[in-house]
Amino acid sequence: MTLEIGGAAFTALVREVTDRLANFLDSQALAQPAPPGLPPTPPPIPSRGRPMGPLLDFLDHAVEHSYNTTGPGYLAYIPGGGVPAAALADLYSLVTNRFTGLSAPAPALVALECDVIRWMCDAVGLPAGSFGVLTTGTSMATLTAVAAARHRVLGDQLQGAVTYTSAQSHHSVAKAARLAGVPTVRAIPVDSRYRLDPAALRMAISRDRDAGLRPFLVVPTAGTTNTGAVDPLPETVAIAREHGLWVHVDAAYGGFFACVPEGRARLAGLSDADSIALDPHKGLFLPYGTGALLVRDPSALEAAHASPAEYLPPPADGLVDFASLTGELSRDFRGLRLWLPLQLAGADAFREQLSEKLALAADAARRVAALPGVFMVAEPELSLFAFRVAGGDEVNRRLLANVNGRGRVFLSGTVLPDGFALRCCVLSFRTHADRIDLLLEDLAAALDEQAPA
């Protein structure tokens, strides 16, 4: 095959791919959540091209030997659903290959992406005038937010800068602070529900101020990875405001639950943040690599990131250059990946799924807690909960392996201060009540097998 092909040849290649993917989509209800056996070895890069068929054979085999994060039984970590319509958006985007880092080369496409960002701002309750940028995920969104907060609060004087976050926060917070040149991060203790302790936060800020340090940023979490805990956002924001600190909320997992009334009530205070990191590849069920940073005052992003050059065209009328809001110039056209599924299905389809996941998690947690010997480590504040059985870490690890080994659901585990716990996160658009029934069946059977004779 040559690099320059016409429509007919392209259509034939796409047909080969879509035939395989159609089989993949039709198999999701029965697909194994966790991989069996050893993975295949990729073929070497050839001097001359190979036909598509054998390459797809390898890819099918490789996919079979990976976690099926798109399946209904994947209740581990935080699932990423991969709504198929987003693949159509990527196909269109990659073939047309328009540049959207600046607005002048593709003004209508940048306007489309701006509409998606404003929709997200409205969805989480940010006020008019808020804006943001799409990223590859919350790790990059947090790095961008730390840079903006550093510039806004500290200016060029970084000595003594301190960030505060929960002891249960995601590791990307400390990583972002280190990369941004402000590596001192205080891990604030948590309460019995694994939520940041506001009194400990207030004390830490005062202590650092008295020591001549410069507190500038607080990063609470709206849905922690370990237990799904939602930090007390109203109290955290109030303390930060007293001391003139920027508030960045890591809402990668939990933020989109604000799209539904029952979720928004549990996320009170989210809309008061200065910036919010979201992962549409979690709460909007989109493919991995789709993140977002939303900010109350977009001028803070531009002040920290804008870098004009004589070879760059000025922004199109009424539009912004995304390159002025983040560290990226070259970037893929991420907006279409959100815009097309939202247009095709409508926002209500996503809201209905989010409401269902909250209800399914509550039902699953209630039923799991009723099993003999099981106790809840963390009740679901959103759609994630953690639990243990008596007998120590090794007993719980064996229980996890037993449940996952049945091949119908896939849970994950984590280590908390009290020891190893099993985690269940309900966030796939393909997960419905029947899969929760299978979870309970397999967990009950595994508990019976492990019970002493």
mmCIF file with all atom_site columns, all heavy atoms in Angstrom, residues 238-264:
data_model
loop_
_atom_site.group_PDB
_atom_site.id
_atom_site.type_symbol
_atom_site.label_atom_id
_atom_site.label_alt_id
_atom_site.label_comp_id
_atom_site.label_asym_id
_atom_site.label_entity_id
_atom_site.label_seq_id
_atom_site.pdbx_PDB_ins_code
_atom_site.Cartn_x
_atom_site.Cartn_y
_atom_site.Cartn_z
_atom_site.occupancy
_atom_site.B_iso_or_equiv
_atom_site.pdbx_formal_charge
_atom_site.auth_seq_id
_atom_site.auth_comp_id
_atom_site.auth_asym_id
_atom_site.auth_atom_id
_atom_site.pdbx_PDB_model_num
ATOM 1   N N   . ALA A 1 238 ? -14.046 27.803 51.563 1.00 0.00 ? 238 ALA A N   1
ATOM 2   C CA  . ALA A 1 238 ? -14.114 28.926 52.510 1.00 0.00 ? 238 ALA A CA  1
ATOM 3   C C   . ALA A 1 238 ? -12.755 29.182 53.165 1.00 0.00 ? 238 ALA A C   1
ATOM 4   O O   . ALA A 1 238 ? -12.326 30.336 53.308 1.00 0.00 ? 238 ALA A O   1
ATOM 5   C CB  . ALA A 1 238 ? -15.171 28.638 53.580 1.00 0.00 ? 238 ALA A CB  1
ATOM 6   N N   . ILE A 1 239 ? -12.051 28.131 53.556 1.00 0.00 ? 239 ILE A N   1
ATOM 7   C CA  . ILE A 1 239 ? -10.730 28.293 54.170 1.00 0.00 ? 239 ILE A CA  1
ATOM 8   C C   . ILE A 1 239 ? -9.749  28.885 53.163 1.00 0.00 ? 239 ILE A C   1
ATOM 9   O O   . ILE A 1 239 ? -8.959  29.793 53.490 1.00 0.00 ? 239 ILE A O   1
ATOM 10  C CB  . ILE A 1 239 ? -10.223 26.935 54.689 1.00 0.00 ? 239 ILE A CB  1
ATOM 11  C CG1 . ILE A 1 239 ? -11.096 26.472 55.861 1.00 0.00 ? 239 ILE A CG1 1
ATOM 12  C CG2 . ILE A 1 239 ? -8.760  27.018 55.110 1.00 0.00 ? 239 ILE A CG2 1
ATOM 13  C CD1 . ILE A 1 239 ? -10.858 25.034 56.254 1.00 0.00 ? 239 ILE A CD1 1
ATOM 14  N N   . ALA A 1 240 ? -9.798  28.381 51.918 1.00 0.00 ? 240 ALA A N   1
ATOM 15  C CA  . ALA A 1 240 ? -8.898  28.909 50.898 1.00 0.00 ? 240 ALA A CA  1
ATOM 16  C C   . ALA A 1 240 ? -9.152  30.384 50.642 1.00 0.00 ? 240 ALA A C   1
ATOM 17  O O   . ALA A 1 240 ? -8.204  31.181 50.483 1.00 0.00 ? 240 ALA A O   1
ATOM 18  C CB  . ALA A 1 240 ? -9.068  28.110 49.607 1.00 0.00 ? 240 ALA A CB  1
ATOM 19  N N   . ARG A 1 241 ? -10.412 30.789 50.624 1.00 0.00 ? 241 ARG A N   1
ATOM 20  C CA  . ARG A 1 241 ? -10.742 32.195 50.368 1.00 0.00 ? 241 ARG A CA  1
ATOM 21  C C   . ARG A 1 241 ? -10.223 33.084 51.504 1.00 0.00 ? 241 ARG A C   1
ATOM 22  O O   . ARG A 1 241 ? -9.763  34.211 51.268 1.00 0.00 ? 241 ARG A O   1
ATOM 23  C CB  . ARG A 1 241 ? -12.253 32.356 50.215 1.00 0.00 ? 241 ARG A CB  1
ATOM 24  C CG  . ARG A 1 241 ? -12.841 31.662 49.004 1.00 0.00 ? 241 ARG A CG  1
ATOM 25  C CD  . ARG A 1 241 ? -12.480 32.368 47.717 1.00 0.00 ? 241 ARG A CD  1
ATOM 26  N NE  . ARG A 1 241 ? -13.029 31.650 46.569 1.00 0.00 ? 241 ARG A NE  1
ATOM 27  C CZ  . ARG A 1 241 ? -12.341 30.871 45.736 1.00 0.00 ? 241 ARG A CZ  1
ATOM 28  N NH1 . ARG A 1 241 ? -11.032 30.713 45.939 1.00 0.00 ? 241 ARG A NH1 1
ATOM 29  N NH2 . ARG A 1 241 ? -12.916 30.258 44.724 1.00 0.00 ? 241 ARG A NH2 1
ATOM 30  N N   . GLU A 1 242 ? -10.291 32.597 52.731 1.00 0.00 ? 242 GLU A N   1
ATOM 31  C CA  . GLU A 1 242 ? -9.796  33.386 53.859 1.00 0.00 ? 242 GLU A CA  1
ATOM 32  C C   . GLU A 1 242 ? -8.318  33.738 53.685 1.00 0.00 ? 242 GLU A C   1
ATOM 33  O O   . GLU A 1 242 ? -7.866  34.812 54.101 1.00 0.00 ? 242 GLU A O   1
ATOM 34  C CB  . GLU A 1 242 ? -9.951  32.588 55.160 1.00 0.00 ? 242 GLU A CB  1
ATOM 35  C CG  . GLU A 1 242 ? -11.375 32.411 55.637 1.00 0.00 ? 242 GLU A CG  1
ATOM 36  C CD  . GLU A 1 242 ? -11.435 31.509 56.859 1.00 0.00 ? 242 GLU A CD  1
ATOM 37  O OE1 . GLU A 1 242 ? -10.371 31.329 57.514 1.00 0.00 ? 242 GLU A OE1 1
ATOM 38  O OE2 . GLU A 1 242 ? -12.521 30.968 57.146 1.00 0.00 ? 242 GLU A OE2 1
ATOM 39  N N   . HIS A 1 243 ? -7.581  32.822 53.062 1.00 0.00 ? 243 HIS A N   1
ATOM 40  C CA  . HIS A 1 243 ? -6.131  32.991 52.961 1.00 0.00 ? 243 HIS A CA  1
ATOM 41  C C   . HIS A 1 243 ? -5.673  33.379 51.557 1.00 0.00 ? 243 HIS A C   1
ATOM 42  O O   . HIS A 1 243 ? -4.472  33.460 51.300 1.00 0.00 ? 243 HIS A O   1
ATOM 43  C CB  . HIS A 1 243 ? -5.437  31.693 53.380 1.00 0.00 ? 243 HIS A CB  1
ATOM 44  C CG  . HIS A 1 243 ? -5.609  31.363 54.831 1.00 0.00 ? 243 HIS A CG  1
ATOM 45  N ND1 . HIS A 1 243 ? -4.807  31.896 55.820 1.00 0.00 ? 243 HIS A ND1 1
ATOM 46  C CD2 . HIS A 1 243 ? -6.506  30.568 55.464 1.00 0.00 ? 243 HIS A CD2 1
ATOM 47  C CE1 . HIS A 1 243 ? -5.195  31.433 56.994 1.00 0.00 ? 243 HIS A CE1 1
ATOM 48  N NE2 . HIS A 1 243 ? -6.216  30.626 56.816 1.00 0.00 ? 243 HIS A NE2 1
ATOM 49  N N   . GLY A 1 244 ? -6.610  33.614 50.638 1.00 0.00 ? 244 GLY A N   1
ATOM 50  C CA  . GLY A 1 244 ? -6.241  34.041 49.289 1.00 0.00 ? 244 GLY A CA  1
ATOM 51  C C   . GLY A 1 244 ? -5.624  32.946 48.444 1.00 0.00 ? 244 GLY A C   1
ATOM 52  O O   . GLY A 1 244 ? -4.788  33.232 47.574 1.00 0.00 ? 244 GLY A O   1
ATOM 53  N N   . LEU A 1 245 ? -6.005  31.696 48.679 1.00 0.00 ? 245 LEU A N   1
ATOM 54  C CA  . LEU A 1 245 ? -5.454  30.574 47.929 1.00 0.00 ? 245 LEU A CA  1
ATOM 55  C C   . LEU A 1 245 ? -6.359  30.204 46.751 1.00 0.00 ? 245 LEU A C   1
ATOM 56  O O   . LEU A 1 245 ? -7.572  30.381 46.794 1.00 0.00 ? 245 LEU A O   1
ATOM 57  C CB  . LEU A 1 245 ? -5.294  29.340 48.837 1.00 0.00 ? 245 LEU A CB  1
ATOM 58  C CG  . LEU A 1 245 ? -4.048  29.273 49.732 1.00 0.00 ? 245 LEU A CG  1
ATOM 59  C CD1 . LEU A 1 245 ? -3.978  30.433 50.694 1.00 0.00 ? 245 LEU A CD1 1
ATOM 60  C CD2 . LEU A 1 245 ? -4.017  27.939 50.483 1.00 0.00 ? 245 LEU A CD2 1
ATOM 61  N N   . TRP A 1 246 ? -5.753  29.674 45.721 1.00 0.00 ? 246 TRP A N   1
ATOM 62  C CA  . TRP A 1 246 ? -6.478  29.138 44.559 1.00 0.00 ? 246 TRP A CA  1
ATOM 63  C C   . TRP A 1 246 ? -7.033  27.765 44.934 1.00 0.00 ? 246 TRP A C   1
ATOM 64  O O   . TRP A 1 246 ? -6.367  26.967 45.596 1.00 0.00 ? 246 TRP A O   1
ATOM 65  C CB  . TRP A 1 246 ? -5.514  29.012 43.390 1.00 0.00 ? 246 TRP A CB  1
ATOM 66  C CG  . TRP A 1 246 ? -6.085  28.520 42.086 1.00 0.00 ? 246 TRP A CG  1
ATOM 67  C CD1 . TRP A 1 246 ? -6.485  27.259 41.787 1.00 0.00 ? 246 TRP A CD1 1
ATOM 68  C CD2 . TRP A 1 246 ? -6.269  29.281 40.886 1.00 0.00 ? 246 TRP A CD2 1
ATOM 69  N NE1 . TRP A 1 246 ? -6.910  27.169 40.481 1.00 0.00 ? 246 TRP A NE1 1
ATOM 70  C CE2 . TRP A 1 246 ? -6.787  28.403 39.904 1.00 0.00 ? 246 TRP A CE2 1
ATOM 71  C CE3 . TRP A 1 246 ? -6.029  30.606 40.540 1.00 0.00 ? 246 TRP A CE3 1
ATOM 72  C CZ2 . TRP A 1 246 ? -7.075  28.806 38.599 1.00 0.00 ? 246 TRP A CZ2 1
ATOM 73  C CZ3 . TRP A 1 246 ? -6.318  31.027 39.246 1.00 0.00 ? 246 TRP A CZ3 1
ATOM 74  C CH2 . TRP A 1 246 ? -6.842  30.138 38.283 1.00 0.00 ? 246 TRP A CH2 1
ATOM 75  N N   . VAL A 1 247 ? -8.253  27.459 44.498 1.00 0.00 ? 247 VAL A N   1
ATOM 76  C CA  . VAL A 1 247 ? -8.861  26.146 44.731 1.00 0.00 ? 247 VAL A CA  1
ATOM 77  C C   . VAL A 1 247 ? -9.016  25.426 43.397 1.00 0.00 ? 247 VAL A C   1
ATOM 78  O O   . VAL A 1 247 ? -9.745  25.889 42.505 1.00 0.00 ? 247 VAL A O   1
ATOM 79  C CB  . VAL A 1 247 ? -10.234 26.257 45.410 1.00 0.00 ? 247 VAL A CB  1
ATOM 80  C CG1 . VAL A 1 247 ? -10.835 24.855 45.615 1.00 0.00 ? 247 VAL A CG1 1
ATOM 81  C CG2 . VAL A 1 247 ? -10.123 26.980 46.734 1.00 0.00 ? 247 VAL A CG2 1
ATOM 82  N N   . HIS A 1 248 ? -8.307  24.321 43.280 1.00 0.00 ? 248 HIS A N   1
ATOM 83  C CA  . HIS A 1 248 ? -8.436  23.458 42.101 1.00 0.00 ? 248 HIS A CA  1
ATOM 84  C C   . HIS A 1 248 ? -9.035  22.135 42.554 1.00 0.00 ? 248 HIS A C   1
ATOM 85  O O   . HIS A 1 248 ? -8.482  21.458 43.423 1.00 0.00 ? 248 HIS A O   1
ATOM 86  C CB  . HIS A 1 248 ? -7.073  23.210 41.454 1.00 0.00 ? 248 HIS A CB  1
ATOM 87  C CG  . HIS A 1 248 ? -7.114  22.189 40.359 1.00 0.00 ? 248 HIS A CG  1
ATOM 88  N ND1 . HIS A 1 248 ? -7.726  22.431 39.148 1.00 0.00 ? 248 HIS A ND1 1
ATOM 89  C CD2 . HIS A 1 248 ? -6.638  20.912 40.298 1.00 0.00 ? 248 HIS A CD2 1
ATOM 90  C CE1 . HIS A 1 248 ? -7.609  21.361 38.379 1.00 0.00 ? 248 HIS A CE1 1
ATOM 91  N NE2 . HIS A 1 248 ? -6.968  20.417 39.058 1.00 0.00 ? 248 HIS A NE2 1
ATOM 92  N N   . VAL A 1 249 ? -10.178 21.741 41.990 1.00 0.00 ? 249 VAL A N   1
ATOM 93  C CA  . VAL A 1 249 ? -10.836 20.499 42.382 1.00 0.00 ? 249 VAL A CA  1
ATOM 94  C C   . VAL A 1 249 ? -10.500 19.405 41.373 1.00 0.00 ? 249 VAL A C   1
ATOM 95  O O   . VAL A 1 249 ? -10.721 19.562 40.168 1.00 0.00 ? 249 VAL A O   1
ATOM 96  C CB  . VAL A 1 249 ? -12.361 20.667 42.484 1.00 0.00 ? 249 VAL A CB  1
ATOM 97  C CG1 . VAL A 1 249 ? -13.009 19.332 42.866 1.00 0.00 ? 249 VAL A CG1 1
ATOM 98  C CG2 . VAL A 1 249 ? -12.720 21.727 43.511 1.00 0.00 ? 249 VAL A CG2 1
ATOM 99  N N   . ASP A 1 250 ? -9.959  18.315 41.885 1.00 0.00 ? 250 ASP A N   1
ATOM 100 C CA  . ASP A 1 250 ? -9.759  17.124 41.064 1.00 0.00 ? 250 ASP A CA  1
ATOM 101 C C   . ASP A 1 250 ? -11.090 16.380 41.023 1.00 0.00 ? 250 ASP A C   1
ATOM 102 O O   . ASP A 1 250 ? -11.432 15.623 41.928 1.00 0.00 ? 250 ASP A O   1
ATOM 103 C CB  . ASP A 1 250 ? -8.664  16.243 41.667 1.00 0.00 ? 250 ASP A CB  1
ATOM 104 C CG  . ASP A 1 250 ? -8.464  14.941 40.898 1.00 0.00 ? 250 ASP A CG  1
ATOM 105 O OD1 . ASP A 1 250 ? -9.217  14.681 39.938 1.00 0.00 ? 250 ASP A OD1 1
ATOM 106 O OD2 . ASP A 1 250 ? -7.560  14.167 41.264 1.00 0.00 ? 250 ASP A OD2 1
ATOM 107 N N   . ALA A 1 251 ? -11.840 16.621 39.956 1.00 0.00 ? 251 ALA A N   1
ATOM 108 C CA  . ALA A 1 251 ? -13.144 15.968 39.757 1.00 0.00 ? 251 ALA A CA  1
ATOM 109 C C   . ALA A 1 251 ? -13.080 15.018 38.569 1.00 0.00 ? 251 ALA A C   1
ATOM 110 O O   . ALA A 1 251 ? -14.076 14.826 37.865 1.00 0.00 ? 251 ALA A O   1
ATOM 111 C CB  . ALA A 1 251 ? -14.228 17.019 39.553 1.00 0.00 ? 251 ALA A CB  1
ATOM 112 N N   . ALA A 1 252 ? -11.906 14.432 38.363 1.00 0.00 ? 252 ALA A N   1
ATOM 113 C CA  . ALA A 1 252 ? -11.702 13.549 37.215 1.00 0.00 ? 252 ALA A CA  1
ATOM 114 C C   . ALA A 1 252 ? -12.761 12.469 37.143 1.00 0.00 ? 252 ALA A C   1
ATOM 115 O O   . ALA A 1 252 ? -13.393 12.264 36.099 1.00 0.00 ? 252 ALA A O   1
ATOM 116 C CB  . ALA A 1 252 ? -10.315 12.915 37.299 1.00 0.00 ? 252 ALA A CB  1
ATOM 117 N N   . TYR A 1 253 ? -12.968 11.800 38.261 1.00 0.00 ? 253 TYR A N   1
ATOM 118 C CA  . TYR A 1 253 ? -13.964 10.724 38.303 1.00 0.00 ? 253 TYR A CA  1
ATOM 119 C C   . TYR A 1 253 ? -15.368 11.249 38.573 1.00 0.00 ? 253 TYR A C   1
ATOM 120 O O   . TYR A 1 253 ? -16.322 10.902 37.882 1.00 0.00 ? 253 TYR A O   1
ATOM 121 C CB  . TYR A 1 253 ? -13.550 9.690  39.357 1.00 0.00 ? 253 TYR A CB  1
ATOM 122 C CG  . TYR A 1 253 ? -14.692 8.934  39.976 1.00 0.00 ? 253 TYR A CG  1
ATOM 123 C CD1 . TYR A 1 253 ? -15.554 8.170  39.190 1.00 0.00 ? 253 TYR A CD1 1
ATOM 124 C CD2 . TYR A 1 253 ? -14.930 8.977  41.350 1.00 0.00 ? 253 TYR A CD2 1
ATOM 125 C CE1 . TYR A 1 253 ? -16.626 7.479  39.759 1.00 0.00 ? 253 TYR A CE1 1
ATOM 126 C CE2 . TYR A 1 253 ? -15.973 8.284  41.925 1.00 0.00 ? 253 TYR A CE2 1
ATOM 127 C CZ  . TYR A 1 253 ? -16.824 7.545  41.131 1.00 0.00 ? 253 TYR A CZ  1
ATOM 128 O OH  . TYR A 1 253 ? -17.877 6.867  41.694 1.00 0.00 ? 253 TYR A OH  1
ATOM 129 N N   . GLY A 1 254 ? -15.506 12.113 39.577 1.00 0.00 ? 254 GLY A N   1
ATOM 130 C CA  . GLY A 1 254 ? -16.841 12.425 40.062 1.00 0.00 ? 254 GLY A CA  1
ATOM 131 C C   . GLY A 1 254 ? -17.538 13.616 39.466 1.00 0.00 ? 254 GLY A C   1
ATOM 132 O O   . GLY A 1 254 ? -18.751 13.774 39.628 1.00 0.00 ? 254 GLY A O   1
ATOM 133 N N   . GLY A 1 255 ? -16.813 14.478 38.763 1.00 0.00 ? 255 GLY A N   1
ATOM 134 C CA  . GLY A 1 255 ? -17.372 15.774 38.397 1.00 0.00 ? 255 GLY A CA  1
ATOM 135 C C   . GLY A 1 255 ? -18.608 15.732 37.544 1.00 0.00 ? 255 GLY A C   1
ATOM 136 O O   . GLY A 1 255 ? -19.527 16.554 37.708 1.00 0.00 ? 255 GLY A O   1
ATOM 137 N N   . PHE A 1 256 ? -18.691 14.792 36.605 1.00 0.00 ? 256 PHE A N   1
ATOM 138 C CA  . PHE A 1 256 ? -19.839 14.784 35.696 1.00 0.00 ? 256 PHE A CA  1
ATOM 139 C C   . PHE A 1 256 ? -21.121 14.311 36.359 1.00 0.00 ? 256 PHE A C   1
ATOM 140 O O   . PHE A 1 256 ? -22.204 14.474 35.778 1.00 0.00 ? 256 PHE A O   1
ATOM 141 C CB  . PHE A 1 256 ? -19.530 13.959 34.452 1.00 0.00 ? 256 PHE A CB  1
ATOM 142 C CG  . PHE A 1 256 ? -18.676 14.697 33.457 1.00 0.00 ? 256 PHE A CG  1
ATOM 143 C CD1 . PHE A 1 256 ? -17.368 14.318 33.234 1.00 0.00 ? 256 PHE A CD1 1
ATOM 144 C CD2 . PHE A 1 256 ? -19.172 15.795 32.767 1.00 0.00 ? 256 PHE A CD2 1
ATOM 145 C CE1 . PHE A 1 256 ? -16.568 15.008 32.337 1.00 0.00 ? 256 PHE A CE1 1
ATOM 146 C CE2 . PHE A 1 256 ? -18.384 16.494 31.875 1.00 0.00 ? 256 PHE A CE2 1
ATOM 147 C CZ  . PHE A 1 256 ? -17.085 16.101 31.652 1.00 0.00 ? 256 PHE A CZ  1
ATOM 148 N N   . PHE A 1 257 ? -21.036 13.765 37.576 1.00 0.00 ? 257 PHE A N   1
ATOM 149 C CA  . PHE A 1 257 ? -22.270 13.472 38.295 1.00 0.00 ? 257 PHE A CA  1
ATOM 150 C C   . PHE A 1 257 ? -23.026 14.752 38.643 1.00 0.00 ? 257 PHE A C   1
ATOM 151 O O   . PHE A 1 257 ? -24.208 14.692 38.993 1.00 0.00 ? 257 PHE A O   1
ATOM 152 C CB  . PHE A 1 257 ? -21.977 12.648 39.550 1.00 0.00 ? 257 PHE A CB  1
ATOM 153 C CG  . PHE A 1 257 ? -21.653 11.210 39.264 1.00 0.00 ? 257 PHE A CG  1
ATOM 154 C CD1 . PHE A 1 257 ? -20.361 10.732 39.426 1.00 0.00 ? 257 PHE A CD1 1
ATOM 155 C CD2 . PHE A 1 257 ? -22.632 10.345 38.813 1.00 0.00 ? 257 PHE A CD2 1
ATOM 156 C CE1 . PHE A 1 257 ? -20.058 9.407  39.153 1.00 0.00 ? 257 PHE A CE1 1
ATOM 157 C CE2 . PHE A 1 257 ? -22.342 9.015  38.532 1.00 0.00 ? 257 PHE A CE2 1
ATOM 158 C CZ  . PHE A 1 257 ? -21.051 8.548  38.700 1.00 0.00 ? 257 PHE A CZ  1
ATOM 159 N N   . ALA A 1 258 ? -22.370 15.901 38.531 1.00 0.00 ? 258 ALA A N   1
ATOM 160 C CA  . ALA A 1 258 ? -23.069 17.173 38.726 1.00 0.00 ? 258 ALA A CA  1
ATOM 161 C C   . ALA A 1 258 ? -24.085 17.433 37.628 1.00 0.00 ? 258 ALA A C   1
ATOM 162 O O   . ALA A 1 258 ? -24.905 18.346 37.747 1.00 0.00 ? 258 ALA A O   1
ATOM 163 C CB  . ALA A 1 258 ? -22.060 18.327 38.783 1.00 0.00 ? 258 ALA A CB  1
ATOM 164 N N   . CYS A 1 259 ? -24.062 16.639 36.563 1.00 0.00 ? 259 CYS A N   1
ATOM 165 C CA  . CYS A 1 259 ? -25.035 16.789 35.474 1.00 0.00 ? 259 CYS A CA  1
ATOM 166 C C   . CYS A 1 259 ? -26.442 16.370 35.890 1.00 0.00 ? 259 CYS A C   1
ATOM 167 O O   . CYS A 1 259 ? -27.413 16.701 35.197 1.00 0.00 ? 259 CYS A O   1
ATOM 168 C CB  . CYS A 1 259 ? -24.617 15.966 34.258 1.00 0.00 ? 259 CYS A CB  1
ATOM 169 S SG  . CYS A 1 259 ? -23.130 16.524 33.422 1.00 0.00 ? 259 CYS A SG  1
ATOM 170 N N   . VAL A 1 260 ? -26.561 15.601 36.987 1.00 0.00 ? 260 VAL A N   1
ATOM 171 C CA  . VAL A 1 260 ? -27.872 15.120 37.427 1.00 0.00 ? 260 VAL A CA  1
ATOM 172 C C   . VAL A 1 260 ? -28.139 15.633 38.830 1.00 0.00 ? 260 VAL A C   1
ATOM 173 O O   . VAL A 1 260 ? -27.210 15.804 39.629 1.00 0.00 ? 260 VAL A O   1
ATOM 174 C CB  . VAL A 1 260 ? -27.942 13.580 37.376 1.00 0.00 ? 260 VAL A CB  1
ATOM 175 C CG1 . VAL A 1 260 ? -27.796 13.102 35.936 1.00 0.00 ? 260 VAL A CG1 1
ATOM 176 C CG2 . VAL A 1 260 ? -26.882 12.926 38.248 1.00 0.00 ? 260 VAL A CG2 1
ATOM 177 N N   . PRO A 1 261 ? -29.411 15.904 39.160 1.00 0.00 ? 261 PRO A N   1
ATOM 178 C CA  . PRO A 1 261 ? -29.713 16.552 40.446 1.00 0.00 ? 261 PRO A CA  1
ATOM 179 C C   . PRO A 1 261 ? -29.170 15.807 41.651 1.00 0.00 ? 261 PRO A C   1
ATOM 180 O O   . PRO A 1 261 ? -28.609 16.419 42.574 1.00 0.00 ? 261 PRO A O   1
ATOM 181 C CB  . PRO A 1 261 ? -31.248 16.600 40.457 1.00 0.00 ? 261 PRO A CB  1
ATOM 182 C CG  . PRO A 1 261 ? -31.641 16.588 39.022 1.00 0.00 ? 261 PRO A CG  1
ATOM 183 C CD  . PRO A 1 261 ? -30.623 15.744 38.328 1.00 0.00 ? 261 PRO A CD  1
ATOM 184 N N   . GLU A 1 262 ? -29.310 14.474 41.676 1.00 0.00 ? 262 GLU A N   1
ATOM 185 C CA  . GLU A 1 262 ? -28.853 13.735 42.841 1.00 0.00 ? 262 GLU A CA  1
ATOM 186 C C   . GLU A 1 262 ? -27.336 13.766 42.967 1.00 0.00 ? 262 GLU A C   1
ATOM 187 O O   . GLU A 1 262 ? -26.791 13.716 44.077 1.00 0.00 ? 262 GLU A O   1
ATOM 188 C CB  . GLU A 1 262 ? -29.362 12.287 42.787 1.00 0.00 ? 262 GLU A CB  1
ATOM 189 C CG  . GLU A 1 262 ? -28.900 11.456 41.609 1.00 0.00 ? 262 GLU A CG  1
ATOM 190 C CD  . GLU A 1 262 ? -29.792 11.555 40.383 1.00 0.00 ? 262 GLU A CD  1
ATOM 191 O OE1 . GLU A 1 262 ? -30.287 12.663 40.095 1.00 0.00 ? 262 GLU A OE1 1
ATOM 192 O OE2 . GLU A 1 262 ? -29.985 10.528 39.707 1.00 0.00 ? 262 GLU A OE2 1
ATOM 193 N N   . GLY A 1 263 ? -26.642 13.870 41.837 1.00 0.00 ? 263 GLY A N   1
ATOM 194 C CA  . GLY A 1 263 ? -25.190 13.989 41.880 1.00 0.00 ? 263 GLY A CA  1
ATOM 195 C C   . GLY A 1 263 ? -24.737 15.379 42.258 1.00 0.00 ? 263 GLY A C   1
ATOM 196 O O   . GLY A 1 263 ? -23.790 15.545 43.045 1.00 0.00 ? 263 GLY A O   1
ATOM 197 N N   . ARG A 1 264 ? -25.422 16.389 41.734 1.00 0.00 ? 264 ARG A N   1
ATOM 198 C CA  . ARG A 1 264 ? -25.023 17.765 42.043 1.00 0.00 ? 264 ARG A CA  1
ATOM 199 C C   . ARG A 1 264 ? -25.155 18.049 43.534 1.00 0.00 ? 264 ARG A C   1
ATOM 200 O O   . ARG A 1 264 ? -24.332 18.763 44.122 1.00 0.00 ? 264 ARG A O   1
ATOM 201 C CB  . ARG A 1 264 ? -25.857 18.759 41.227 1.00 0.00 ? 264 ARG A CB  1
ATOM 202 C CG  . ARG A 1 264 ? -25.414 20.199 41.419 1.00 0.00 ? 264 ARG A CG  1
ATOM 203 C CD  . ARG A 1 264 ? -26.041 21.172 40.435 1.00 0.00 ? 264 ARG A CD  1
ATOM 204 N NE  . ARG A 1 264 ? -25.523 20.989 39.082 1.00 0.00 ? 264 ARG A NE  1
ATOM 205 C CZ  . ARG A 1 264 ? -25.601 21.914 38.117 1.00 0.00 ? 264 ARG A CZ  1
ATOM 206 N NH1 . ARG A 1 264 ? -26.159 23.086 38.372 1.00 0.00 ? 264 ARG A NH1 1
ATOM 207 N NH2 . ARG A 1 264 ? -25.132 21.677 36.919 1.00 0.00 ? 264 ARG A NH2 1
#
